[in-house]
Amino acid sequence: MIQPDGVRVKIPASTANLGPGFDTLGMALSLYAWIEMKEAEQTVFHLYGDEMQGIPRDKSNLLYQVAQQVFERAGVQVPELEISMYSDIPLTRGLGSSATAIVGALAAANALIGSPLSKAELFDMATGIEDHPDNVGASLYGGIITAIWDGVHAECIRFDPPEDLEVLVVVPDFELQTSEARKVLPDHISRKDAVYNVSRASFLIGALAGGRMDLIGKAMSDRLHQPYRAPLIQGMTRILEEAANHGALGVALSGAGPTLLALVDRHESRKNELEAFLLNTMRAEGINASAKWLLPDVEGVVEISGMPSRSFMDMVKGK
Ligand code: HSE
């Protein structure tokens, strides 16, 4: 039942909230991590790339811990593992790096033992570990997801993003822990602000699902988390207010930040201007940032077949 050659999976990064859809909306992005998992005589880790520095290489490792949850649930014992991981996804920047690790470990461990668990079960487990369904749902299913979570079960509706949608992310060179960015949020909001967000999140789903890119800008504002997080990311308020004047359809904090995300029509002629506006606005506040142009990922986590003709890193480089 255990795949003797091990398994490999490729997992997309994600952006959460998309402005008004706090802890609910997510979209997968074309920035990836790869995981290989094999049964071994002794647990060993091969963690490649700048983003893997400082990650534990013993059984306290998140990938190992999550894999063991899968084995336990499936009633299988695989105590020793050889785990390899490479990631292009910046850590603690609001692009779902931890969700990617969780989804990748769940999918790889499940595939390693012959896929006894359904995707829906993996979604419940991933959401239980992450505590909100938006990033993990997007990395698991790809595309755009709108999700609900009752503390035990997560459920989502997935749909393809508009064909012409492109995504610009501007990633500051400082980290922001999600837990820190959640501490600044108030426990109570007014009914007026609740209506503001419910209406915009609903409108945004309608615009994205209905291919109405012209309406995205009207929908992508928020009163639930962005105003409270703005002091943590200098320059963010100006970017949210002015990016539309430089060609963005809409702009939001990506997840808990500090990355900022602009949705752009791929035919837009002012892409360079938009990128320069975002980078220069952050630079004026003393923040160095790097820009990446991405596409929505529509596949979610996938198992890579054809093991093991190429080494793990050759497979990653072959992308
Ligand atoms: N919805 C979560 C938040 C996402 O905004 O705190 C964190 O990645």
Side-chain angles (χ1 to χ4, degrees):
M1 183 171 68
I2 295 175
Q3 304 298 314
D5 293 329
V7 293
R8 290 167 173 177
V9 295
K10 177 184 176 190
I11 322 103
S14 62
T15 184
N17 305 330
L18 292 170
F22 180 72
D23 279 1
T24 290
L25 302 184
M27 179 165 68
L29 298 172
S30 63
L31 189 65
Y32 296 95
W34 289 259
I35 292 173
E36 179 180 277
M37 198 175 282
K38 292 180 186 172
E39 189 179 27
E41 287 190 355
Q42 201 171 5
T43 293
V44 56
F45 294 87
H46 313 284
L47 306 177
Y48 303 96
D50 296 344
E51 302 303 338
M52 294 288 107
Q53 281 168 24
I55 306 275
R57 287 155 200 260
D58 56 31
K59 288 183 177 176
S60 70
N61 181 290
L62 177 69
L63 302 173
Y64 178 88
Q65 295 279 332
V66 170
Q68 291 304 328
Q69 287 191 28
V70 172
F71 304 145
E72 197 176 313
R73 187 154 169 156
V76 178
Q77 290 208 344
V78 195
E80 306 297 334
L81 291 169
E82 180 174 355
I83 298 176
S84 306
M85 181 168 182
Y86 171 85
S87 178
D88 279 332
I89 307 165
L91 285 184
T92 30
R93 305 296 162 84
L95 289 168
S97 58
S98 72
T100 311
I102 292 165
V103 166
L106 289 169
N110 192 39
L112 184 66
I113 55 170
S115 301
L117 305 185
S118 68
K119 220 165 183 177
E121 284 178 279
L122 299 185
F123 188 31
D124 283 346
M125 292 175 76
T127 308
I129 300 164
E130 181 84 338
D131 220 23
H132 29 82
D134 39 6
N135 288 113
V136 290
S139 282
L140 192 60
Y141 291 101
I144 295 173
I145 58 117
T146 173
I148 54 176
W149 163 240
D150 65 8
V152 180
H153 295 297
E155 198 88 51
C156 78
I157 298 174
R158 177 220 174 274
F159 58 93
D160 279 332
E163 244 177 45
D164 289 336
L165 194 66
E166 222 179 312
V167 181
L168 169 63
V169 292
V170 167
V171 187
D173 67 1
F174 67 91
E175 298 187 2
L176 179 55
Q177 297 287 346
T178 299
S179 52
E180 294 301 312
R182 289 178 88 85
K183 274 189 203 153
V184 301
L185 305 181
D187 288 330
H188 302 280
I189 58 158
S190 67
R191 184 194 304 171
K192 209 169 149 199
D193 285 354
V195 171
Y196 185 95
N197 264 67
V198 170
S199 58
R200 276 148 186 90
S202 313
F203 201 70
L204 181 59
I205 287 297
L208 290 167
R212 289 293 305 272
M213 299 219 297
D214 56 311
L215 296 177
I216 287 174
K218 286 201 170 81
M220 260 177 100
S221 48
D222 159 77
R223 286 191 186 161
L224 196 45
H225 66 110
Q226 291 182 171
Y228 305 101
R229 287 171 165 172
L232 304 176
I233 303 119
Q234 304 298 315
M236 168 175 159
T237 303
R238 182 166 172 222
I239 287 172
L240 294 185
E241 280 168 5
E242 296 178 27
N245 302 335
H246 300 275
L249 294 169
V251 63
L253 185 64
S254 182
T259 293
L260 290 161
L261 160 117
L263 300 186
V264 185
D265 184 331
R266 73 181 169 94
H267 304 292
E268 172 60 51
S269 58
R270 290 172 293 169
K271 286 185 197 169
N272 290 341
E273 178 190 324
L274 178 66
E275 180 179 326
F277 168 69
L278 265 66
L279 290 175
N280 291 339
T281 305
M282 302 216 94
R283 202 167 296 133
E285 300 288 346
I287 298 172
N288 280 322
S290 57
K292 292 183 201 294
W293 284 93
L294 304 172
L295 293 171
D297 167 278
V298 292
E299 288 189 310
V301 64
V302 286
E303 191 181 341
I304 297 172
S305 51
M307 290 277 298
S309 54
R310 286 196 288 179
S311 77
F312 176 69
M313 281 312 286
D314 281 349
M315 174 209 59
V316 168
K317 283 183 210 139
K319 293 185 186 184

mmCIF file of all heavy atoms in Angstrom, residues 16-17 21-25 94-96 130 132 134-135 178 181-182 185 225 229 254-257, ligand 1:
data_model
loop_
_atom_site.group_PDB
_atom_site.id
_atom_site.type_symbol
_atom_site.label_atom_id
_atom_site.label_comp_id
_atom_site.label_asym_id
_atom_site.label_seq_id
_atom_site.Cartn_x
_atom_site.Cartn_y
_atom_site.Cartn_z
ATOM 1 N N ALA A 16 -5.105 35.467 0.482
ATOM 2 C CA ALA A 16 -6.361 35.322 1.215
ATOM 3 C C ALA A 16 -7.046 36.675 1.368
ATOM 4 O O ALA A 16 -6.406 37.716 1.264
ATOM 5 C CB ALA A 16 -6.096 34.731 2.591
ATOM 6 N N ASN A 17 -8.325 36.623 1.593
ATOM 7 C CA ASN A 17 -9.206 37.774 1.883
ATOM 8 C C ASN A 17 -9.642 38.534 0.621
ATOM 9 O O ASN A 17 -10.790 38.930 0.502
ATOM 10 C CB ASN A 17 -8.565 38.783 2.855
ATOM 11 C CG ASN A 17 -8.118 38.145 4.167
ATOM 12 O OD1 ASN A 17 -8.706 37.174 4.619
ATOM 13 N ND2 ASN A 17 -7.069 38.675 4.762
ATOM 14 N N GLY A 21 -13.177 39.839 1.881
ATOM 15 C CA GLY A 21 -13.552 38.466 2.250
ATOM 16 C C GLY A 21 -12.686 37.868 3.330
ATOM 17 O O GLY A 21 -12.141 36.767 3.175
ATOM 18 N N PHE A 22 -12.577 38.576 4.459
ATOM 19 C CA PHE A 22 -11.695 38.165 5.548
ATOM 20 C C PHE A 22 -11.983 36.729 6.008
ATOM 21 O O PHE A 22 -13.128 36.392 6.315
ATOM 22 C CB PHE A 22 -11.871 39.132 6.732
ATOM 23 C CG PHE A 22 -11.010 38.813 7.918
ATOM 24 C CD1 PHE A 22 -9.647 39.040 7.886
ATOM 25 C CD2 PHE A 22 -11.565 38.269 9.069
ATOM 26 C CE1 PHE A 22 -8.848 38.749 8.990
ATOM 27 C CE2 PHE A 22 -10.776 37.977 10.174
ATOM 28 C CZ PHE A 22 -9.416 38.212 10.122
ATOM 29 N N ASP A 23 -10.957 35.891 6.020
ATOM 30 C CA ASP A 23 -11.035 34.481 6.457
ATOM 31 C C ASP A 23 -11.980 33.637 5.597
ATOM 32 O O ASP A 23 -12.426 32.563 6.034
ATOM 33 C CB ASP A 23 -11.457 34.373 7.941
ATOM 34 C CG ASP A 23 -10.288 34.597 8.901
ATOM 35 O OD1 ASP A 23 -9.161 34.861 8.433
ATOM 36 O OD2 ASP A 23 -10.506 34.502 10.122
ATOM 37 N N THR A 24 -12.296 34.101 4.393
ATOM 38 C CA THR A 24 -13.310 33.441 3.572
ATOM 39 C C THR A 24 -12.880 33.244 2.125
ATOM 40 O O THR A 24 -13.049 32.153 1.574
ATOM 41 C CB THR A 24 -14.611 34.297 3.613
ATOM 42 O OG1 THR A 24 -15.158 34.188 4.914
ATOM 43 C CG2 THR A 24 -15.629 33.846 2.603
ATOM 44 N N LEU A 25 -12.354 34.301 1.498
ATOM 45 C CA LEU A 25 -11.981 34.203 0.083
ATOM 46 C C LEU A 25 -10.497 33.902 -0.058
ATOM 47 O O LEU A 25 -9.670 34.385 0.718
ATOM 48 C CB LEU A 25 -12.278 35.521 -0.648
ATOM 49 C CG LEU A 25 -13.715 36.019 -0.620
ATOM 50 C CD1 LEU A 25 -13.856 37.278 -1.468
ATOM 51 C CD2 LEU A 25 -14.655 34.938 -1.121
ATOM 52 N N GLY A 94 2.370 36.811 3.767
ATOM 53 C CA GLY A 94 0.979 36.914 3.319
ATOM 54 C C GLY A 94 0.717 36.223 2.003
ATOM 55 O O GLY A 94 -0.259 36.529 1.311
ATOM 56 N N LEU A 95 1.572 35.259 1.647
ATOM 57 C CA LEU A 95 1.339 34.494 0.409
ATOM 58 C C LEU A 95 1.101 33.009 0.711
ATOM 59 O O LEU A 95 1.289 32.148 -0.159
ATOM 60 C CB LEU A 95 2.510 34.680 -0.562
ATOM 61 C CG LEU A 95 2.567 36.088 -1.168
ATOM 62 C CD1 LEU A 95 3.888 36.324 -1.894
ATOM 63 C CD2 LEU A 95 1.396 36.343 -2.126
ATOM 64 N N GLY A 96 0.687 32.741 1.930
ATOM 65 C CA GLY A 96 0.231 31.395 2.268
ATOM 66 C C GLY A 96 1.314 30.349 2.357
ATOM 67 O O GLY A 96 1.046 29.170 2.108
ATOM 68 N N GLU A 130 -4.606 25.183 10.298
ATOM 69 C CA GLU A 130 -4.344 26.599 9.965
ATOM 70 C C GLU A 130 -5.289 27.547 10.701
ATOM 71 O O GLU A 130 -4.980 28.694 10.918
ATOM 72 C CB GLU A 130 -4.460 26.774 8.439
ATOM 73 C CG GLU A 130 -4.198 28.160 7.915
ATOM 74 C CD GLU A 130 -2.732 28.503 7.684
ATOM 75 O OE1 GLU A 130 -1.858 27.855 8.284
ATOM 76 O OE2 GLU A 130 -2.481 29.439 6.905
ATOM 77 N N HIS A 132 -8.035 28.884 9.619
ATOM 78 C CA HIS A 132 -8.954 29.555 8.697
ATOM 79 C C HIS A 132 -8.807 28.895 7.326
ATOM 80 O O HIS A 132 -7.732 28.420 6.969
ATOM 81 C CB HIS A 132 -8.752 31.077 8.635
ATOM 82 C CG HIS A 132 -7.360 31.531 8.923
ATOM 83 N ND1 HIS A 132 -6.362 31.526 7.981
ATOM 84 C CD2 HIS A 132 -6.792 31.971 10.058
ATOM 85 C CE1 HIS A 132 -5.255 31.971 8.512
ATOM 86 N NE2 HIS A 132 -5.469 32.243 9.776
ATOM 87 N N ASP A 134 -9.176 29.986 4.128
ATOM 88 C CA ASP A 134 -8.958 30.737 2.877
ATOM 89 C C ASP A 134 -7.676 30.351 2.137
ATOM 90 O O ASP A 134 -7.710 30.047 0.942
ATOM 91 C CB ASP A 134 -9.036 32.258 3.125
ATOM 92 C CG ASP A 134 -8.383 32.699 4.438
ATOM 93 O OD1 ASP A 134 -7.764 31.865 5.113
ATOM 94 O OD2 ASP A 134 -8.494 33.887 4.779
ATOM 95 N N ASN A 135 -6.524 30.335 2.828
ATOM 96 C CA ASN A 135 -5.274 29.966 2.139
ATOM 97 C C ASN A 135 -5.233 28.476 1.797
ATOM 98 O O ASN A 135 -4.889 28.094 0.676
ATOM 99 C CB ASN A 135 -4.046 30.291 2.997
ATOM 100 C CG ASN A 135 -3.753 31.768 3.117
ATOM 101 O OD1 ASN A 135 -3.863 32.337 4.192
ATOM 102 N ND2 ASN A 135 -3.384 32.407 2.027
ATOM 103 N N THR A 178 1.254 36.227 11.017
ATOM 104 C CA THR A 178 -0.209 36.340 10.970
ATOM 105 C C THR A 178 -0.767 36.587 12.376
ATOM 106 O O THR A 178 -1.678 37.393 12.563
ATOM 107 C CB THR A 178 -0.811 35.049 10.373
ATOM 108 O OG1 THR A 178 -0.305 34.909 9.045
ATOM 109 C CG2 THR A 178 -2.328 35.102 10.319
ATOM 110 N N ALA A 181 -0.551 40.159 13.156
ATOM 111 C CA ALA A 181 -1.474 40.958 12.342
ATOM 112 C C ALA A 181 -2.933 40.690 12.723
ATOM 113 O O ALA A 181 -3.824 41.441 12.325
ATOM 114 C CB ALA A 181 -1.251 40.661 10.858
ATOM 115 N N ARG A 182 -3.192 39.627 13.486
ATOM 116 C CA ARG A 182 -4.556 39.369 13.974
ATOM 117 C C ARG A 182 -4.788 40.042 15.329
ATOM 118 O O ARG A 182 -5.919 40.350 15.684
ATOM 119 C CB ARG A 182 -4.838 37.858 14.060
ATOM 120 C CG ARG A 182 -4.969 37.211 12.686
ATOM 121 C CD ARG A 182 -5.194 35.718 12.759
ATOM 122 N NE ARG A 182 -6.573 35.295 12.877
ATOM 123 C CZ ARG A 182 -7.423 35.121 11.867
ATOM 124 N NH1 ARG A 182 -7.045 35.341 10.634
ATOM 125 N NH2 ARG A 182 -8.660 34.730 12.073
ATOM 126 N N LEU A 185 -6.660 43.420 15.426
ATOM 127 C CA LEU A 185 -8.054 43.506 14.968
ATOM 128 C C LEU A 185 -9.004 43.642 16.160
ATOM 129 O O LEU A 185 -8.808 42.998 17.190
ATOM 130 C CB LEU A 185 -8.417 42.249 14.159
ATOM 131 C CG LEU A 185 -7.505 41.943 12.969
ATOM 132 C CD1 LEU A 185 -7.988 40.699 12.233
ATOM 133 C CD2 LEU A 185 -7.458 43.129 12.013
ATOM 134 N N HIS A 225 -10.545 44.474 8.384
ATOM 135 C CA HIS A 225 -9.173 44.213 8.844
ATOM 136 C C HIS A 225 -8.146 45.201 8.275
ATOM 137 O O HIS A 225 -7.232 45.620 8.989
ATOM 138 C CB HIS A 225 -8.756 42.767 8.502
ATOM 139 C CG HIS A 225 -8.635 42.471 7.042
ATOM 140 N ND1 HIS A 225 -7.435 42.251 6.418
ATOM 141 C CD2 HIS A 225 -9.572 42.394 6.071
ATOM 142 C CE1 HIS A 225 -7.637 42.019 5.139
ATOM 143 N NE2 HIS A 225 -8.925 42.103 4.892
ATOM 144 N N ARG A 229 -4.829 47.091 10.085
ATOM 145 C CA ARG A 229 -3.492 46.577 9.775
ATOM 146 C C ARG A 229 -2.621 47.618 9.068
ATOM 147 O O ARG A 229 -1.389 47.454 9.023
ATOM 148 C CB ARG A 229 -3.622 45.317 8.900
ATOM 149 C CG ARG A 229 -4.126 44.126 9.702
ATOM 150 C CD ARG A 229 -4.479 42.931 8.855
ATOM 151 N NE ARG A 229 -4.609 41.736 9.689
ATOM 152 C CZ ARG A 229 -5.059 40.563 9.258
ATOM 153 N NH1 ARG A 229 -5.447 40.420 7.992
ATOM 154 N NH2 ARG A 229 -5.130 39.535 10.073
ATOM 155 N N SER A 254 -2.507 41.311 0.926
ATOM 156 C CA SER A 254 -2.567 39.876 0.652
ATOM 157 C C SER A 254 -2.553 39.122 1.978
ATOM 158 O O SER A 254 -1.573 39.184 2.719
ATOM 159 C CB SER A 254 -1.375 39.465 -0.208
ATOM 160 O OG SER A 254 -1.460 38.086 -0.517
ATOM 161 N N GLY A 255 -3.643 38.456 2.297
ATOM 162 C CA GLY A 255 -3.755 37.762 3.579
ATOM 163 C C GLY A 255 -3.549 38.738 4.719
ATOM 164 O O GLY A 255 -4.105 39.841 4.714
ATOM 165 N N ALA A 256 -2.717 38.334 5.675
ATOM 166 C CA ALA A 256 -2.445 39.197 6.822
ATOM 167 C C ALA A 256 -1.299 40.169 6.537
ATOM 168 O O ALA A 256 -0.866 40.897 7.410
ATOM 169 C CB ALA A 256 -2.108 38.328 8.025
ATOM 170 N N GLY A 257 -0.791 40.168 5.271
ATOM 171 C CA GLY A 257 0.293 41.058 4.885
ATOM 172 C C GLY A 257 1.640 40.489 5.277
ATOM 173 O O GLY A 257 1.716 39.368 5.804
HETATM 174 N N1 HSE B 1 -7.526 35.465 6.649
HETATM 175 C C1 HSE B 1 -6.282 35.435 7.365
HETATM 176 C C2 HSE B 1 -5.984 36.805 7.952
HETATM 177 C C3 HSE B 1 -5.231 35.019 6.399
HETATM 178 O O1 HSE B 1 -6.189 37.788 7.248
HETATM 179 O O2 HSE B 1 -5.571 36.881 9.099
HETATM 180 C C4 HSE B 1 -3.891 34.903 6.939
HETATM 181 O O3 HSE B 1 -3.061 34.297 6.005
#
